[in-house]
Amino acid sequence: MSRSSRPRVRAGFPIGPWVPGVVLPAAVGLAGVVGSLLALQDLPLLLGVAMSIVAGFRVRTPTPWLLVALLVGGRLLQRPGALDASLPALVLVLHVLVVLVLLARAVPVRSRLQLAALGPAAVTTGLVQVVAQVLAALLLAAQDHLQVLPAASTIGGALLVLVAGLIVLSRRVEHDE
């Protein structure tokens, strides 16, 4: 079969919107820095930022998991009365960080990542976030921090809008096929 008579398989397969694979490790580093700013103070903050940068470059090492442990431990070591609106945000950042690390470990840096492929991970993260944000809100309410409940609702609502957008995007790509 000559080159010109071969069917063009690639031309009939729309891949939809995509981003370079290097975006995932960069997002791991960014999520780690945001989590460090939310959970850590003083010297552990510098350690968290440094680990975030290393985790972004070395996602296939234990560094990202040590970063998650540092963020959780750093937040647990703060006095319990210091609960504020950063708790729901930290819960969100930790879940997003775990999902990004798992995706970054699976997707090669030089590849293309289809945005529709993020749909199942976004749906699962959204479902976990609904429960986690309600629990964080109840914890804050138990500590008499009722004024931050709108922040938890806003964060949870924004995530659900993001999940819905990714679902619609993935359905549109499937429909176009």
Side-chain angles (χ1 to χ4, degrees), residues 51-79:
M51 283 183 75
S52 299
I53 293 168
V54 171
F57 285 106
R58 308 283 297 178
V59 293
R60 290 179 175 84
T61 65
T63 306
W65 306 120
L66 293 173
L67 174 63
V68 170
L70 176 67
L71 294 176
V72 171
R75 184 61 181 181
L76 290 176
L77 291 177
Q78 292 180 6
R79 53 180 226 279

mmCIF file of all heavy atoms in Angstrom, residues 51-79:
data_model
loop_
_atom_site.group_PDB
_atom_site.id
_atom_site.type_symbol
_atom_site.label_atom_id
_atom_site.label_comp_id
_atom_site.label_asym_id
_atom_site.label_seq_id
_atom_site.Cartn_x
_atom_site.Cartn_y
_atom_site.Cartn_z
ATOM 1 N N MET A 51 10.206 22.280 49.250
ATOM 2 C CA MET A 51 9.734 20.933 48.877
ATOM 3 C C MET A 51 8.744 21.001 47.720
ATOM 4 O O MET A 51 8.702 20.089 46.888
ATOM 5 C CB MET A 51 9.089 20.241 50.075
ATOM 6 C CG MET A 51 10.089 19.693 51.069
ATOM 7 S SD MET A 51 9.286 18.810 52.414
ATOM 8 C CE MET A 51 8.821 17.311 51.586
ATOM 9 N N SER A 52 7.959 22.064 47.651
ATOM 10 C CA SER A 52 7.002 22.223 46.546
ATOM 11 C C SER A 52 7.732 22.348 45.217
ATOM 12 O O SER A 52 7.324 21.750 44.216
ATOM 13 C CB SER A 52 6.135 23.459 46.768
ATOM 14 O OG SER A 52 5.397 23.350 47.945
ATOM 15 N N ILE A 53 8.788 23.130 45.213
ATOM 16 C CA ILE A 53 9.561 23.312 43.982
ATOM 17 C C ILE A 53 10.217 21.997 43.568
ATOM 18 O O ILE A 53 10.163 21.598 42.399
ATOM 19 C CB ILE A 53 10.604 24.441 44.170
ATOM 20 C CG1 ILE A 53 9.872 25.779 44.347
ATOM 21 C CG2 ILE A 53 11.573 24.499 42.997
ATOM 22 C CD1 ILE A 53 10.744 26.915 44.814
ATOM 23 N N VAL A 54 10.807 21.291 44.542
ATOM 24 C CA VAL A 54 11.430 20.002 44.242
ATOM 25 C C VAL A 54 10.370 18.998 43.780
ATOM 26 O O VAL A 54 10.591 18.240 42.830
ATOM 27 C CB VAL A 54 12.198 19.465 45.474
ATOM 28 C CG1 VAL A 54 12.673 18.039 45.251
ATOM 29 C CG2 VAL A 54 13.371 20.374 45.792
ATOM 30 N N ALA A 55 9.193 19.011 44.431
ATOM 31 C CA ALA A 55 8.114 18.079 44.051
ATOM 32 C C ALA A 55 7.643 18.340 42.625
ATOM 33 O O ALA A 55 7.287 17.407 41.914
ATOM 34 C CB ALA A 55 6.942 18.206 45.022
ATOM 35 N N GLY A 56 7.650 19.597 42.198
ATOM 36 C CA GLY A 56 7.264 19.913 40.829
ATOM 37 C C GLY A 56 8.223 19.343 39.805
ATOM 38 O O GLY A 56 7.807 18.932 38.718
ATOM 39 N N PHE A 57 9.491 19.294 40.155
ATOM 40 C CA PHE A 57 10.490 18.749 39.233
ATOM 41 C C PHE A 57 10.655 17.235 39.369
ATOM 42 O O PHE A 57 11.093 16.580 38.433
ATOM 43 C CB PHE A 57 11.850 19.419 39.464
ATOM 44 C CG PHE A 57 11.927 20.809 38.913
ATOM 45 C CD1 PHE A 57 11.903 21.908 39.762
ATOM 46 C CD2 PHE A 57 12.010 21.037 37.552
ATOM 47 C CE1 PHE A 57 11.967 23.195 39.249
ATOM 48 C CE2 PHE A 57 12.073 22.314 37.033
ATOM 49 C CZ PHE A 57 12.052 23.393 37.893
ATOM 50 N N ARG A 58 10.316 16.699 40.526
ATOM 51 C CA ARG A 58 10.552 15.282 40.803
ATOM 52 C C ARG A 58 9.261 14.606 41.276
ATOM 53 O O ARG A 58 9.192 14.086 42.382
ATOM 54 C CB ARG A 58 11.640 15.133 41.875
ATOM 55 C CG ARG A 58 12.938 15.884 41.599
ATOM 56 C CD ARG A 58 13.774 15.217 40.618
ATOM 57 N NE ARG A 58 14.151 13.920 41.167
ATOM 58 C CZ ARG A 58 14.864 13.058 40.537
ATOM 59 N NH1 ARG A 58 15.317 13.310 39.349
ATOM 60 N NH2 ARG A 58 15.146 11.891 41.088
ATOM 61 N N VAL A 59 8.232 14.583 40.416
ATOM 62 C CA VAL A 59 6.935 14.035 40.819
ATOM 63 C C VAL A 59 6.952 12.523 41.007
ATOM 64 O O VAL A 59 6.065 11.984 41.665
ATOM 65 C CB VAL A 59 5.811 14.421 39.823
ATOM 66 C CG1 VAL A 59 5.539 15.890 39.860
ATOM 67 C CG2 VAL A 59 6.111 13.940 38.437
ATOM 68 N N ARG A 60 7.926 11.853 40.454
ATOM 69 C CA ARG A 60 7.976 10.392 40.564
ATOM 70 C C ARG A 60 8.820 9.908 41.744
ATOM 71 O O ARG A 60 9.138 8.732 41.854
ATOM 72 C CB ARG A 60 8.486 9.787 39.265
ATOM 73 C CG ARG A 60 7.470 9.920 38.147
ATOM 74 C CD ARG A 60 7.950 9.362 36.835
ATOM 75 N NE ARG A 60 6.913 9.408 35.835
ATOM 76 C CZ ARG A 60 6.631 10.459 35.092
ATOM 77 N NH1 ARG A 60 7.332 11.574 35.250
ATOM 78 N NH2 ARG A 60 5.654 10.421 34.198
ATOM 79 N N THR A 61 9.169 10.824 42.629
ATOM 80 C CA THR A 61 9.903 10.479 43.850
ATOM 81 C C THR A 61 8.941 10.603 45.038
ATOM 82 O O THR A 61 7.804 11.056 44.873
ATOM 83 C CB THR A 61 11.101 11.440 44.050
ATOM 84 O OG1 THR A 61 10.601 12.764 44.284
ATOM 85 C CG2 THR A 61 12.021 11.433 42.838
ATOM 86 N N PRO A 62 9.382 10.249 46.230
ATOM 87 C CA PRO A 62 8.512 10.403 47.412
ATOM 88 C C PRO A 62 8.305 11.864 47.847
ATOM 89 O O PRO A 62 7.504 12.124 48.729
ATOM 90 C CB PRO A 62 9.244 9.631 48.507
ATOM 91 C CG PRO A 62 10.208 8.750 47.825
ATOM 92 C CD PRO A 62 10.551 9.414 46.528
ATOM 93 N N THR A 63 8.991 12.795 47.231
ATOM 94 C CA THR A 63 8.921 14.194 47.650
ATOM 95 C C THR A 63 7.500 14.754 47.686
ATOM 96 O O THR A 63 7.137 15.413 48.670
ATOM 97 C CB THR A 63 9.826 15.068 46.749
ATOM 98 O OG1 THR A 63 11.133 14.532 46.752
ATOM 99 C CG2 THR A 63 9.871 16.496 47.253
ATOM 100 N N PRO A 64 6.652 14.538 46.671
ATOM 101 C CA PRO A 64 5.291 15.080 46.775
ATOM 102 C C PRO A 64 4.512 14.524 47.962
ATOM 103 O O PRO A 64 3.736 15.242 48.599
ATOM 104 C CB PRO A 64 4.633 14.670 45.457
ATOM 105 C CG PRO A 64 5.747 14.415 44.514
ATOM 106 C CD PRO A 64 6.881 13.926 45.357
ATOM 107 N N TRP A 65 4.721 13.263 48.289
ATOM 108 C CA TRP A 65 3.996 12.664 49.414
ATOM 109 C C TRP A 65 4.543 13.185 50.738
ATOM 110 O O TRP A 65 3.777 13.367 51.692
ATOM 111 C CB TRP A 65 4.061 11.145 49.340
ATOM 112 C CG TRP A 65 3.580 10.650 48.009
ATOM 113 C CD1 TRP A 65 4.275 9.924 47.094
ATOM 114 C CD2 TRP A 65 2.297 10.894 47.408
ATOM 115 N NE1 TRP A 65 3.508 9.701 45.985
ATOM 116 C CE2 TRP A 65 2.283 10.283 46.150
ATOM 117 C CE3 TRP A 65 1.154 11.576 47.821
ATOM 118 C CZ2 TRP A 65 1.187 10.317 45.294
ATOM 119 C CZ3 TRP A 65 0.053 11.621 46.976
ATOM 120 C CH2 TRP A 65 0.081 10.989 45.729
ATOM 121 N N LEU A 66 5.840 13.451 50.792
ATOM 122 C CA LEU A 66 6.398 14.078 51.991
ATOM 123 C C LEU A 66 5.863 15.497 52.155
ATOM 124 O O LEU A 66 5.633 15.957 53.276
ATOM 125 C CB LEU A 66 7.928 14.085 51.922
ATOM 126 C CG LEU A 66 8.606 12.721 51.991
ATOM 127 C CD1 LEU A 66 10.111 12.855 51.742
ATOM 128 C CD2 LEU A 66 8.327 12.063 53.328
ATOM 129 N N LEU A 67 5.653 16.180 51.030
ATOM 130 C CA LEU A 67 5.071 17.520 51.066
ATOM 131 C C LEU A 67 3.647 17.473 51.626
ATOM 132 O O LEU A 67 3.287 18.295 52.477
ATOM 133 C CB LEU A 67 5.077 18.140 49.670
ATOM 134 C CG LEU A 67 4.364 19.485 49.528
ATOM 135 C CD1 LEU A 67 5.042 20.550 50.374
ATOM 136 C CD2 LEU A 67 4.327 19.893 48.067
ATOM 137 N N VAL A 68 2.844 16.512 51.173
ATOM 138 C CA VAL A 68 1.481 16.373 51.701
ATOM 139 C C VAL A 68 1.531 16.113 53.202
ATOM 140 O O VAL A 68 0.775 16.714 53.979
ATOM 141 C CB VAL A 68 0.723 15.243 50.956
ATOM 142 C CG1 VAL A 68 -0.580 14.915 51.648
ATOM 143 C CG2 VAL A 68 0.480 15.634 49.505
ATOM 144 N N ALA A 69 2.432 15.233 53.641
ATOM 145 C CA ALA A 69 2.574 14.945 55.073
ATOM 146 C C ALA A 69 3.002 16.193 55.842
ATOM 147 O O ALA A 69 2.503 16.452 56.947
ATOM 148 C CB ALA A 69 3.574 13.811 55.284
ATOM 149 N N LEU A 70 3.917 16.971 55.271
ATOM 150 C CA LEU A 70 4.357 18.207 55.922
ATOM 151 C C LEU A 70 3.199 19.198 56.046
ATOM 152 O O LEU A 70 3.031 19.836 57.090
ATOM 153 C CB LEU A 70 5.503 18.844 55.122
ATOM 154 C CG LEU A 70 6.000 20.196 55.634
ATOM 155 C CD1 LEU A 70 6.673 20.036 56.990
ATOM 156 C CD2 LEU A 70 6.942 20.832 54.640
ATOM 157 N N LEU A 71 2.392 19.323 55.013
ATOM 158 C CA LEU A 71 1.267 20.259 55.062
ATOM 159 C C LEU A 71 0.234 19.832 56.107
ATOM 160 O O LEU A 71 -0.260 20.668 56.877
ATOM 161 C CB LEU A 71 0.616 20.384 53.686
ATOM 162 C CG LEU A 71 1.473 21.011 52.594
ATOM 163 C CD1 LEU A 71 0.742 20.993 51.257
ATOM 164 C CD2 LEU A 71 1.884 22.422 52.960
ATOM 165 N N VAL A 72 -0.086 18.562 56.132
ATOM 166 C CA VAL A 72 -1.054 18.069 57.118
ATOM 167 C C VAL A 72 -0.479 18.206 58.529
ATOM 168 O O VAL A 72 -1.138 18.704 59.447
ATOM 169 C CB VAL A 72 -1.448 16.611 56.814
ATOM 170 C CG1 VAL A 72 -2.273 16.018 57.941
ATOM 171 C CG2 VAL A 72 -2.223 16.547 55.507
ATOM 172 N N GLY A 73 0.756 17.777 58.715
ATOM 173 C CA GLY A 73 1.396 17.880 60.025
ATOM 174 C C GLY A 73 1.549 19.318 60.488
ATOM 175 O O GLY A 73 1.323 19.628 61.667
ATOM 176 N N GLY A 74 1.913 20.194 59.571
ATOM 177 C CA GLY A 74 2.053 21.603 59.921
ATOM 178 C C GLY A 74 0.740 22.215 60.366
ATOM 179 O O GLY A 74 0.699 23.025 61.296
ATOM 180 N N ARG A 75 -0.346 21.814 59.718
ATOM 181 C CA ARG A 75 -1.658 22.334 60.113
ATOM 182 C C ARG A 75 -2.102 21.739 61.446
ATOM 183 O O ARG A 75 -2.693 22.427 62.274
ATOM 184 C CB ARG A 75 -2.690 22.028 59.025
ATOM 185 C CG ARG A 75 -4.033 22.591 59.294
ATOM 186 C CD ARG A 75 -3.958 24.097 59.388
ATOM 187 N NE ARG A 75 -5.271 24.618 59.680
ATOM 188 C CZ ARG A 75 -5.555 25.875 59.800
ATOM 189 N NH1 ARG A 75 -4.605 26.778 59.631
ATOM 190 N NH2 ARG A 75 -6.754 26.278 60.073
ATOM 191 N N LEU A 76 -1.801 20.460 61.684
ATOM 192 C CA LEU A 76 -2.181 19.825 62.944
ATOM 193 C C LEU A 76 -1.394 20.375 64.125
ATOM 194 O O LEU A 76 -1.891 20.370 65.251
ATOM 195 C CB LEU A 76 -1.990 18.312 62.855
ATOM 196 C CG LEU A 76 -2.968 17.569 61.948
ATOM 197 C CD1 LEU A 76 -2.595 16.098 61.870
ATOM 198 C CD2 LEU A 76 -4.396 17.735 62.434
ATOM 199 N N LEU A 77 -0.176 20.838 63.888
ATOM 200 C CA LEU A 77 0.645 21.368 64.975
ATOM 201 C C LEU A 77 0.247 22.773 65.402
ATOM 202 O O LEU A 77 0.654 23.229 66.465
ATOM 203 C CB LEU A 77 2.123 21.339 64.576
ATOM 204 C CG LEU A 77 2.728 19.946 64.463
ATOM 205 C CD1 LEU A 77 4.174 20.023 64.000
ATOM 206 C CD2 LEU A 77 2.633 19.194 65.785
ATOM 207 N N GLN A 78 -0.539 23.456 64.588
ATOM 208 C CA GLN A 78 -1.020 24.774 64.996
ATOM 209 C C GLN A 78 -2.060 24.592 66.093
ATOM 210 O O GLN A 78 -2.724 23.568 66.186
ATOM 211 C CB GLN A 78 -1.616 25.523 63.813
ATOM 212 C CG GLN A 78 -0.589 25.906 62.780
ATOM 213 C CD GLN A 78 -1.212 26.643 61.614
ATOM 214 O OE1 GLN A 78 -2.385 26.964 61.616
ATOM 215 N NE2 GLN A 78 -0.409 26.903 60.608
ATOM 216 N N ARG A 79 -2.217 25.599 66.904
ATOM 217 C CA ARG A 79 -3.173 25.472 68.000
ATOM 218 C C ARG A 79 -4.603 25.353 67.456
ATOM 219 O O ARG A 79 -4.940 25.983 66.452
ATOM 220 C CB ARG A 79 -3.043 26.614 68.975
ATOM 221 C CG ARG A 79 -3.114 27.967 68.412
ATOM 222 C CD ARG A 79 -2.958 28.999 69.526
ATOM 223 N NE ARG A 79 -3.974 30.009 69.368
ATOM 224 C CZ ARG A 79 -3.880 31.017 68.514
ATOM 225 N NH1 ARG A 79 -2.796 31.147 67.788
ATOM 226 N NH2 ARG A 79 -4.854 31.885 68.409
#
